[in-house]
Amino acid sequence: MNSTPYAPGPIKSMPHLGLKDRNTFGLDATADIAYEITAPGEIAGVMREVNTQNLPWRVLGGGSNVILPKVLPGATLLMNITGQEILPSDQNATLIAVGGGVNWHEFVAWTLENNLPGLENLALIPGTVGAAPIQNIGAYGIEIADYIDSIEAFDVKIHAFVTLSKDDCQFAYRNSYFKQHPQRFIVAKVVFKIPKVWQAKIHYADLAKQFEENPNPTAEEIFLAVCKIRTHKLPDPKVIGNAGSFFHNPVIPNEQYETLLKKYVDLASYPDAPGKRKLAAGWLIDQCGFKGQRMGEVGVYENQALVLVNYGNGTAQDILGLAKCIQDKVRNEFGVSLEIEPNIL
Ligand code: EPU
């Protein structure tokens, strides 16, 4: 990890800012003081303020993976560093530096418009570029980790910008060094490494089905197919509040998987590390009868049981109450614990 000293930039604060339209669950929350961050130097400036006043703080990107309380005390950094730049690259891969505040889906579309295919399987994932590596977003057979070169972040511990290599990031399924060290890094820029030789990745079941008749699709065709599948299975946060998958897919030992499979022959699962199996949490929740169920202002989405939704006036407490019911029932039925995916602030 290399570090560089910083020159704090000017800061712009917004007191008592409503965040209902800045979190995809659509929760009614207010930030005590919000800071809009448009350049890396501003992060340093705000964090100096945070330190001097000993304020609690957090970063909000696209707000697509958070459960917000009614009031967020202290400082809320709204990440809005934009811009993408193609860096000097070699013959094997193209390097692209992208601001942490860039919308993820718009970036994926931009790569295709600029003839840099590779990220198309990750189309339509809500959120920002800066938030994407924290939980190592993944879908339809690929993970963002496969395409990261390095990350420029503000290290709160040493008050300097650091560059983390892909290895430093310790990416794993929905996990990273950033997630393991909450409140330590603020991602300013992500450098992507897109291989120059492209190969379609359509092995994921839903995608394979789309291309039964067309085994050699273009990246654009894959992009459109992923958008179609996601639009059907996952609710549009602009229409109905949600944070995508609400639980991780649980990983269990092979022996436990074999025992479950004897009782539930159509148990949905994926291969994982040797000796382990990843179960489809959506299948487990669906089997417990939750799909499409409503509990007051919140519920379980009708097309994908892994997604919890807010019908409009739900609170963090309502969502966590429903989550607890689901966790209890799945544990009783299958002996499997479900871990919540979004960050509970
Ligand atoms: N299933 C059901 N009922 C349901 C939902 C799913 O039986 O209500 C079964 C499906 O039939 C399928 C299996 O479970 O056999 C897997 O379902 P799906 O393909 O929808 O994927 P998933 O495992 O539920 C994961 C990611 C998604 C990602 C998809 C596609 C996690 C926690 N979720 O979902 O990521 O889009 O695979 O790759 O790993 C997200 O993180 O927000 C997200 C949407």
Side-chain angles (χ1 to χ4, degrees):
M1 215 189 293
N2 301 319
S3 73
T4 34
Y6 66 84
I11 52 176
K12 193 177 105 202
S13 68
M14 292 170 279
H16 309 298
L17 186 75
L19 300 174
K20 195 172 167 70
D21 58 357
R22 289 183 187 251
N23 73 103
T24 60
F25 247 132
L27 295 167
D28 216 344
T30 304
D32 258 0
I33 321 164
Y35 294 93
E36 184 163 25
I37 305 293
T38 56
E42 293 167 12
I43 300 176
V46 172
M47 293 315 286
R48 189 172 56 180
E49 193 96 345
V50 160
N51 265 355
T52 319
Q53 297 185 41
N54 201 16
L55 297 173
W57 65 277
R58 80 286 309 158
V59 177
L60 205 57
S64 61
N65 204 40
V66 284
I67 302 171
L68 300 183
K70 283 210 153 69
V71 175
L72 282 87
T76 300
L77 284 71
L78 305 174
M79 192 47 68
N80 203 10
I81 301 174
T82 55
Q84 47 236 355
E85 183 193 357
I86 298 181
L87 303 176
S89 308
D90 61 23
Q91 72 270 34
N92 298 321
T94 306
L95 296 176
I96 318 167
V98 190
V102 170
N103 174 278
W104 172 259
H105 176 73
E106 283 168 20
F107 169 59
V108 174
W110 178 90
T111 57
L112 294 183
E113 281 155 23
N114 287 275
N115 198 23
L116 297 164
L119 300 174
E120 54 282 351
N121 295 43
L122 302 178
L124 223 55
I125 296 183
T128 54
V129 164
I134 313 267
Q135 64 145 343
N136 183 18
I137 58 168
Y140 305 103
I142 70 169
E143 288 181 345
I144 190 184
D146 306 332
Y147 297 88
I148 281 182
D149 176 73
S150 57
I151 289 179
E152 209 177 290
F154 185 77
D155 185 342
V156 174
K157 201 167 151 189
I158 60 168
H159 284 262
F161 281 95
V162 291
T163 303
L164 291 98
S165 68
K166 180 181 167 176
D167 285 348
D168 290 334
C169 296
Q170 298 179 11
F171 290 118
Y173 168 65
R174 295 292 193 271
N175 213 334
S176 70
Y177 190 73
F178 306 105
K179 200 155 181 187
Q180 293 299 319
H181 296 83
Q183 299 291 99
R184 171 149 176 209
F185 297 101
I186 300 172
V187 175
K189 233 181 237 181
V190 180
V191 178
F192 291 89
K193 188 176 186 171
I194 312 288
K196 288 198 173 153
V197 176
W198 176 80
Q199 219 185 348
K201 296 202 176 70
I202 52 168
H203 56 279
Y204 194 88
D206 275 352
L207 213 46
K209 215 186 295 161
Q210 298 282 319
F211 291 110
E212 270 166 359
E213 315 274 288
N214 173 16
N216 295 307
T218 63
E220 283 73 16
E221 285 172 325
I222 297 174
F223 176 86
L224 292 174
V226 168
C227 290
K228 185 173 151 195
I229 299 167
R230 287 190 76 96
T231 308
H232 172 70
K233 278 201 164 178
L234 303 166
D236 178 353
K238 290 195 193 95
V239 180
I240 182 160
N242 75 93
S245 300
F246 193 84
F247 299 101
H248 289 201
N249 282 333
V251 177
I252 60 169
N254 267 345
E255 306 79 67
Q256 189 184 1
Y257 166 69
E258 298 294 343
T259 310
L260 281 172
L261 196 58
K262 281 187 195 128
K263 193 166 167 202
Y264 307 96
V265 285
D266 54 349
L267 179 65
S269 69
Y270 313 88
D272 201 71
K276 296 195 168 149
R277 192 89 189 162
K278 192 186 282 169
L279 303 183
W283 186 91
L284 301 172
I285 300 166
D286 195 353
Q287 293 297 303
C288 290
F290 283 107
K291 196 154 153 178
Q293 292 295 310
R294 184 168 177 156
M295 199 166 138
E297 280 298 313
V298 297
V300 177
Y301 191 53
E302 59 195 359
N303 291 339
Q304 166 49 295
L306 191 48
V307 177
L308 302 196
V309 295
N310 172 16
Y311 290 103
N313 297 313
T315 62
Q317 230 173 343
D318 298 334
I319 293 165
L320 296 175
L322 173 59
K324 170 96 175 44
C325 283
I326 293 172
Q327 286 169 314
D328 288 348
K329 195 144 184 207
V330 167
R331 199 176 298 108
N332 283 342
E333 180 70 27
F334 301 101
V336 172
S337 297
L338 294 181
E339 195 188 323
I340 292 178
E341 183 172 285
N343 297 322
I344 304 163
L345 294 188

PDB file of all heavy atoms in Angstrom, residues 186-208:
ATOM      1  N   ILE A 186     -11.924   5.678   2.509  1.00  0.00           N
ATOM      2  CA  ILE A 186     -12.939   6.343   1.687  1.00  0.00           C
ATOM      3  C   ILE A 186     -12.433   6.250   0.245  1.00  0.00           C
ATOM      4  O   ILE A 186     -11.393   6.834  -0.094  1.00  0.00           O
ATOM      5  CB  ILE A 186     -13.128   7.811   2.113  1.00  0.00           C
ATOM      6  CG1 ILE A 186     -13.568   7.847   3.587  1.00  0.00           C
ATOM      7  CG2 ILE A 186     -14.141   8.505   1.212  1.00  0.00           C
ATOM      8  CD1 ILE A 186     -13.611   9.250   4.188  1.00  0.00           C
ATOM      9  N   VAL A 187     -13.131   5.490  -0.569  1.00  0.00           N
ATOM     10  CA  VAL A 187     -12.670   5.252  -1.943  1.00  0.00           C
ATOM     11  C   VAL A 187     -12.895   6.503  -2.792  1.00  0.00           C
ATOM     12  O   VAL A 187     -14.017   6.996  -2.899  1.00  0.00           O
ATOM     13  CB  VAL A 187     -13.404   4.049  -2.578  1.00  0.00           C
ATOM     14  CG1 VAL A 187     -13.015   3.881  -4.050  1.00  0.00           C
ATOM     15  CG2 VAL A 187     -13.091   2.773  -1.797  1.00  0.00           C
ATOM     16  N   ALA A 188     -11.798   7.024  -3.372  1.00  0.00           N
ATOM     17  CA  ALA A 188     -11.911   8.217  -4.214  1.00  0.00           C
ATOM     18  C   ALA A 188     -11.939   7.839  -5.689  1.00  0.00           C
ATOM     19  O   ALA A 188     -12.679   8.428  -6.478  1.00  0.00           O
ATOM     20  CB  ALA A 188     -10.731   9.156  -3.937  1.00  0.00           C
ATOM     21  N   LYS A 189     -11.123   6.845  -6.068  1.00  0.00           N
ATOM     22  CA  LYS A 189     -10.973   6.496  -7.477  1.00  0.00           C
ATOM     23  C   LYS A 189     -10.732   4.996  -7.603  1.00  0.00           C
ATOM     24  O   LYS A 189     -10.046   4.410  -6.753  1.00  0.00           O
ATOM     25  CB  LYS A 189      -9.729   7.209  -8.018  1.00  0.00           C
ATOM     26  CG  LYS A 189      -9.965   8.027  -9.249  1.00  0.00           C
ATOM     27  CD  LYS A 189      -8.669   8.653  -9.694  1.00  0.00           C
ATOM     28  CE  LYS A 189      -8.824  10.160  -9.774  1.00  0.00           C
ATOM     29  NZ  LYS A 189      -7.597  10.805 -10.227  1.00  0.00           N
ATOM     30  N   VAL A 190     -11.252   4.393  -8.652  1.00  0.00           N
ATOM     31  CA  VAL A 190     -10.988   2.974  -8.910  1.00  0.00           C
ATOM     32  C   VAL A 190     -10.308   2.871 -10.273  1.00  0.00           C
ATOM     33  O   VAL A 190     -10.775   3.491 -11.241  1.00  0.00           O
ATOM     34  CB  VAL A 190     -12.303   2.151  -8.919  1.00  0.00           C
ATOM     35  CG1 VAL A 190     -12.008   0.677  -9.192  1.00  0.00           C
ATOM     36  CG2 VAL A 190     -13.042   2.304  -7.593  1.00  0.00           C
ATOM     37  N   VAL A 191      -9.218   2.124 -10.336  1.00  0.00           N
ATOM     38  CA  VAL A 191      -8.569   1.887 -11.634  1.00  0.00           C
ATOM     39  C   VAL A 191      -8.933   0.468 -12.085  1.00  0.00           C
ATOM     40  O   VAL A 191      -8.641  -0.515 -11.398  1.00  0.00           O
ATOM     41  CB  VAL A 191      -7.038   2.059 -11.556  1.00  0.00           C
ATOM     42  CG1 VAL A 191      -6.402   1.764 -12.920  1.00  0.00           C
ATOM     43  CG2 VAL A 191      -6.687   3.475 -11.106  1.00  0.00           C
ATOM     44  N   PHE A 192      -9.625   0.409 -13.239  1.00  0.00           N
ATOM     45  CA  PHE A 192     -10.050  -0.879 -13.800  1.00  0.00           C
ATOM     46  C   PHE A 192      -9.019  -1.364 -14.811  1.00  0.00           C
ATOM     47  O   PHE A 192      -8.345  -0.555 -15.466  1.00  0.00           O
ATOM     48  CB  PHE A 192     -11.410  -0.732 -14.493  1.00  0.00           C
ATOM     49  CG  PHE A 192     -12.514  -0.495 -13.517  1.00  0.00           C
ATOM     50  CD1 PHE A 192     -12.848   0.803 -13.136  1.00  0.00           C
ATOM     51  CD2 PHE A 192     -13.194  -1.552 -12.946  1.00  0.00           C
ATOM     52  CE1 PHE A 192     -13.840   1.024 -12.203  1.00  0.00           C
ATOM     53  CE2 PHE A 192     -14.201  -1.329 -12.018  1.00  0.00           C
ATOM     54  CZ  PHE A 192     -14.514  -0.035 -11.640  1.00  0.00           C
ATOM     55  N   LYS A 193      -8.950  -2.686 -14.932  1.00  0.00           N
ATOM     56  CA  LYS A 193      -8.034  -3.302 -15.900  1.00  0.00           C
ATOM     57  C   LYS A 193      -8.885  -4.220 -16.774  1.00  0.00           C
ATOM     58  O   LYS A 193      -9.339  -5.278 -16.318  1.00  0.00           O
ATOM     59  CB  LYS A 193      -6.999  -4.114 -15.108  1.00  0.00           C
ATOM     60  CG  LYS A 193      -5.884  -4.639 -15.942  1.00  0.00           C
ATOM     61  CD  LYS A 193      -4.877  -5.324 -15.027  1.00  0.00           C
ATOM     62  CE  LYS A 193      -3.666  -5.744 -15.821  1.00  0.00           C
ATOM     63  NZ  LYS A 193      -2.608  -6.215 -14.944  1.00  0.00           N
ATOM     64  N   ILE A 194      -9.137  -3.764 -17.995  1.00  0.00           N
ATOM     65  CA  ILE A 194     -10.035  -4.516 -18.882  1.00  0.00           C
ATOM     66  C   ILE A 194      -9.182  -5.246 -19.934  1.00  0.00           C
ATOM     67  O   ILE A 194      -8.553  -4.591 -20.773  1.00  0.00           O
ATOM     68  CB  ILE A 194     -11.035  -3.559 -19.602  1.00  0.00           C
ATOM     69  CG1 ILE A 194     -11.701  -2.590 -18.614  1.00  0.00           C
ATOM     70  CG2 ILE A 194     -12.051  -4.342 -20.417  1.00  0.00           C
ATOM     71  CD1 ILE A 194     -12.709  -3.188 -17.692  1.00  0.00           C
ATOM     72  N   PRO A 195      -9.160  -6.587 -19.890  1.00  0.00           N
ATOM     73  CA  PRO A 195      -8.344  -7.327 -20.860  1.00  0.00           C
ATOM     74  C   PRO A 195      -8.727  -6.983 -22.294  1.00  0.00           C
ATOM     75  O   PRO A 195      -9.911  -6.775 -22.588  1.00  0.00           O
ATOM     76  CB  PRO A 195      -8.663  -8.800 -20.556  1.00  0.00           C
ATOM     77  CG  PRO A 195      -9.229  -8.805 -19.187  1.00  0.00           C
ATOM     78  CD  PRO A 195      -9.896  -7.482 -18.980  1.00  0.00           C
ATOM     79  N   LYS A 196      -7.715  -6.926 -23.182  1.00  0.00           N
ATOM     80  CA  LYS A 196      -8.007  -6.556 -24.569  1.00  0.00           C
ATOM     81  C   LYS A 196      -8.627  -7.714 -25.343  1.00  0.00           C
ATOM     82  O   LYS A 196      -9.339  -7.496 -26.316  1.00  0.00           O
ATOM     83  CB  LYS A 196      -6.729  -6.057 -25.256  1.00  0.00           C
ATOM     84  CG  LYS A 196      -6.367  -4.678 -24.712  1.00  0.00           C
ATOM     85  CD  LYS A 196      -5.407  -3.911 -25.573  1.00  0.00           C
ATOM     86  CE  LYS A 196      -5.278  -2.499 -25.010  1.00  0.00           C
ATOM     87  NZ  LYS A 196      -4.011  -1.874 -25.321  1.00  0.00           N
ATOM     88  N   VAL A 197      -8.365  -8.941 -24.900  1.00  0.00           N
ATOM     89  CA  VAL A 197      -9.035 -10.081 -25.544  1.00  0.00           C
ATOM     90  C   VAL A 197     -10.319 -10.351 -24.762  1.00  0.00           C
ATOM     91  O   VAL A 197     -10.284 -10.607 -23.560  1.00  0.00           O
ATOM     92  CB  VAL A 197      -8.132 -11.335 -25.541  1.00  0.00           C
ATOM     93  CG1 VAL A 197      -8.878 -12.531 -26.126  1.00  0.00           C
ATOM     94  CG2 VAL A 197      -6.854 -11.063 -26.316  1.00  0.00           C
ATOM     95  N   TRP A 198     -11.436 -10.263 -25.461  1.00  0.00           N
ATOM     96  CA  TRP A 198     -12.737 -10.417 -24.801  1.00  0.00           C
ATOM     97  C   TRP A 198     -13.334 -11.779 -25.087  1.00  0.00           C
ATOM     98  O   TRP A 198     -13.200 -12.315 -26.186  1.00  0.00           O
ATOM     99  CB  TRP A 198     -13.695  -9.329 -25.311  1.00  0.00           C
ATOM    100  CG  TRP A 198     -15.088  -9.471 -24.759  1.00  0.00           C
ATOM    101  CD1 TRP A 198     -15.522  -9.076 -23.533  1.00  0.00           C
ATOM    102  CD2 TRP A 198     -16.208 -10.076 -25.415  1.00  0.00           C
ATOM    103  NE1 TRP A 198     -16.850  -9.383 -23.380  1.00  0.00           N
ATOM    104  CE2 TRP A 198     -17.301  -9.999 -24.520  1.00  0.00           C
ATOM    105  CE3 TRP A 198     -16.410 -10.671 -26.667  1.00  0.00           C
ATOM    106  CZ2 TRP A 198     -18.568 -10.491 -24.837  1.00  0.00           C
ATOM    107  CZ3 TRP A 198     -17.669 -11.162 -26.977  1.00  0.00           C
ATOM    108  CH2 TRP A 198     -18.741 -11.070 -26.074  1.00  0.00           C
ATOM    109  N   GLN A 199     -13.983 -12.322 -24.070  1.00  0.00           N
ATOM    110  CA  GLN A 199     -14.696 -13.579 -24.249  1.00  0.00           C
ATOM    111  C   GLN A 199     -16.044 -13.477 -23.563  1.00  0.00           C
ATOM    112  O   GLN A 199     -16.107 -12.995 -22.418  1.00  0.00           O
ATOM    113  CB  GLN A 199     -13.876 -14.683 -23.589  1.00  0.00           C
ATOM    114  CG  GLN A 199     -13.895 -15.949 -24.375  1.00  0.00           C
ATOM    115  CD  GLN A 199     -13.177 -17.067 -23.637  1.00  0.00           C
ATOM    116  OE1 GLN A 199     -12.477 -16.847 -22.643  1.00  0.00           O
ATOM    117  NE2 GLN A 199     -13.352 -18.267 -24.109  1.00  0.00           N
ATOM    118  N   ALA A 200     -17.088 -13.917 -24.252  1.00  0.00           N
ATOM    119  CA  ALA A 200     -18.431 -13.869 -23.651  1.00  0.00           C
ATOM    120  C   ALA A 200     -18.472 -14.809 -22.447  1.00  0.00           C
ATOM    121  O   ALA A 200     -17.941 -15.911 -22.498  1.00  0.00           O
ATOM    122  CB  ALA A 200     -19.463 -14.311 -24.684  1.00  0.00           C
ATOM    123  N   LYS A 201     -19.118 -14.351 -21.347  1.00  0.00           N
ATOM    124  CA  LYS A 201     -19.293 -15.226 -20.176  1.00  0.00           C
ATOM    125  C   LYS A 201     -20.791 -15.410 -19.973  1.00  0.00           C
ATOM    126  O   LYS A 201     -21.465 -14.544 -19.404  1.00  0.00           O
ATOM    127  CB  LYS A 201     -18.635 -14.603 -18.944  1.00  0.00           C
ATOM    128  CG  LYS A 201     -17.124 -14.486 -19.105  1.00  0.00           C
ATOM    129  CD  LYS A 201     -16.408 -14.376 -17.777  1.00  0.00           C
ATOM    130  CE  LYS A 201     -14.906 -14.361 -17.961  1.00  0.00           C
ATOM    131  NZ  LYS A 201     -14.397 -13.127 -18.584  1.00  0.00           N
ATOM    132  N   ILE A 202     -21.298 -16.523 -20.489  1.00  0.00           N
ATOM    133  CA  ILE A 202     -22.755 -16.724 -20.436  1.00  0.00           C
ATOM    134  C   ILE A 202     -23.104 -18.064 -19.774  1.00  0.00           C
ATOM    135  O   ILE A 202     -24.137 -18.653 -20.049  1.00  0.00           O
ATOM    136  CB  ILE A 202     -23.386 -16.633 -21.855  1.00  0.00           C
ATOM    137  CG1 ILE A 202     -22.672 -17.566 -22.839  1.00  0.00           C
ATOM    138  CG2 ILE A 202     -23.359 -15.204 -22.370  1.00  0.00           C
ATOM    139  CD1 ILE A 202     -23.418 -17.739 -24.168  1.00  0.00           C
ATOM    140  N   HIS A 203     -22.215 -18.532 -18.863  1.00  0.00           N
ATOM    141  CA  HIS A 203     -22.465 -19.833 -18.245  1.00  0.00           C
ATOM    142  C   HIS A 203     -23.522 -19.789 -17.144  1.00  0.00           C
ATOM    143  O   HIS A 203     -24.115 -20.795 -16.808  1.00  0.00           O
ATOM    144  CB  HIS A 203     -21.156 -20.421 -17.698  1.00  0.00           C
ATOM    145  CG  HIS A 203     -20.468 -19.522 -16.728  1.00  0.00           C
ATOM    146  ND1 HIS A 203     -19.681 -18.469 -17.136  1.00  0.00           N
ATOM    147  CD2 HIS A 203     -20.476 -19.478 -15.368  1.00  0.00           C
ATOM    148  CE1 HIS A 203     -19.222 -17.838 -16.063  1.00  0.00           C
ATOM    149  NE2 HIS A 203     -19.697 -18.427 -14.984  1.00  0.00           N
ATOM    150  N   TYR A 204     -23.769 -18.611 -16.557  1.00  0.00           N
ATOM    151  CA  TYR A 204     -24.763 -18.514 -15.478  1.00  0.00           C
ATOM    152  C   TYR A 204     -26.142 -18.916 -16.033  1.00  0.00           C
ATOM    153  O   TYR A 204     -26.549 -18.443 -17.107  1.00  0.00           O
ATOM    154  CB  TYR A 204     -24.806 -17.077 -14.942  1.00  0.00           C
ATOM    155  CG  TYR A 204     -25.547 -16.950 -13.625  1.00  0.00           C
ATOM    156  CD1 TYR A 204     -24.891 -17.114 -12.413  1.00  0.00           C
ATOM    157  CD2 TYR A 204     -26.907 -16.686 -13.594  1.00  0.00           C
ATOM    158  CE1 TYR A 204     -25.566 -17.019 -11.209  1.00  0.00           C
ATOM    159  CE2 TYR A 204     -27.601 -16.585 -12.389  1.00  0.00           C
ATOM    160  CZ  TYR A 204     -26.917 -16.751 -11.196  1.00  0.00           C
ATOM    161  OH  TYR A 204     -27.594 -16.649 -10.000  1.00  0.00           O
ATOM    162  N   ALA A 205     -26.861 -19.790 -15.282  1.00  0.00           N
ATOM    163  CA  ALA A 205     -28.067 -20.439 -15.815  1.00  0.00           C
ATOM    164  C   ALA A 205     -29.044 -19.482 -16.519  1.00  0.00           C
ATOM    165  O   ALA A 205     -29.438 -19.728 -17.665  1.00  0.00           O
ATOM    166  CB  ALA A 205     -28.767 -21.187 -14.695  1.00  0.00           C
ATOM    167  N   ASP A 206     -29.389 -18.374 -15.856  1.00  0.00           N
ATOM    168  CA  ASP A 206     -30.370 -17.445 -16.438  1.00  0.00           C
ATOM    169  C   ASP A 206     -29.893 -16.894 -17.780  1.00  0.00           C
ATOM    170  O   ASP A 206     -30.686 -16.680 -18.700  1.00  0.00           O
ATOM    171  CB  ASP A 206     -30.574 -16.236 -15.505  1.00  0.00           C
ATOM    172  CG  ASP A 206     -31.604 -16.536 -14.434  1.00  0.00           C
ATOM    173  OD1 ASP A 206     -32.239 -17.600 -14.512  1.00  0.00           O
ATOM    174  OD2 ASP A 206     -31.761 -15.700 -13.526  1.00  0.00           O
ATOM    175  N   LEU A 207     -28.583 -16.660 -17.858  1.00  0.00           N
ATOM    176  CA  LEU A 207     -28.010 -16.058 -19.062  1.00  0.00           C
ATOM    177  C   LEU A 207     -27.890 -17.113 -20.171  1.00  0.00           C
ATOM    178  O   LEU A 207     -28.207 -16.846 -21.341  1.00  0.00           O
ATOM    179  CB  LEU A 207     -26.631 -15.494 -18.702  1.00  0.00           C
ATOM    180  CG  LEU A 207     -26.135 -14.247 -19.411  1.00  0.00           C
ATOM    181  CD1 LEU A 207     -27.185 -13.171 -19.493  1.00  0.00           C
ATOM    182  CD2 LEU A 207     -24.901 -13.705 -18.683  1.00  0.00           C
ATOM    183  N   ALA A 208     -27.458 -18.314 -19.778  1.00  0.00           N
ATOM    184  CA  ALA A 208     -27.318 -19.408 -20.748  1.00  0.00           C
ATOM    185  C   ALA A 208     -28.652 -19.640 -21.459  1.00  0.00           C
ATOM    186  O   ALA A 208     -28.699 -19.850 -22.671  1.00  0.00           O
ATOM    187  CB  ALA A 208     -26.847 -20.670 -20.040  1.00  0.00           C
TER     188      ALA A 208
END
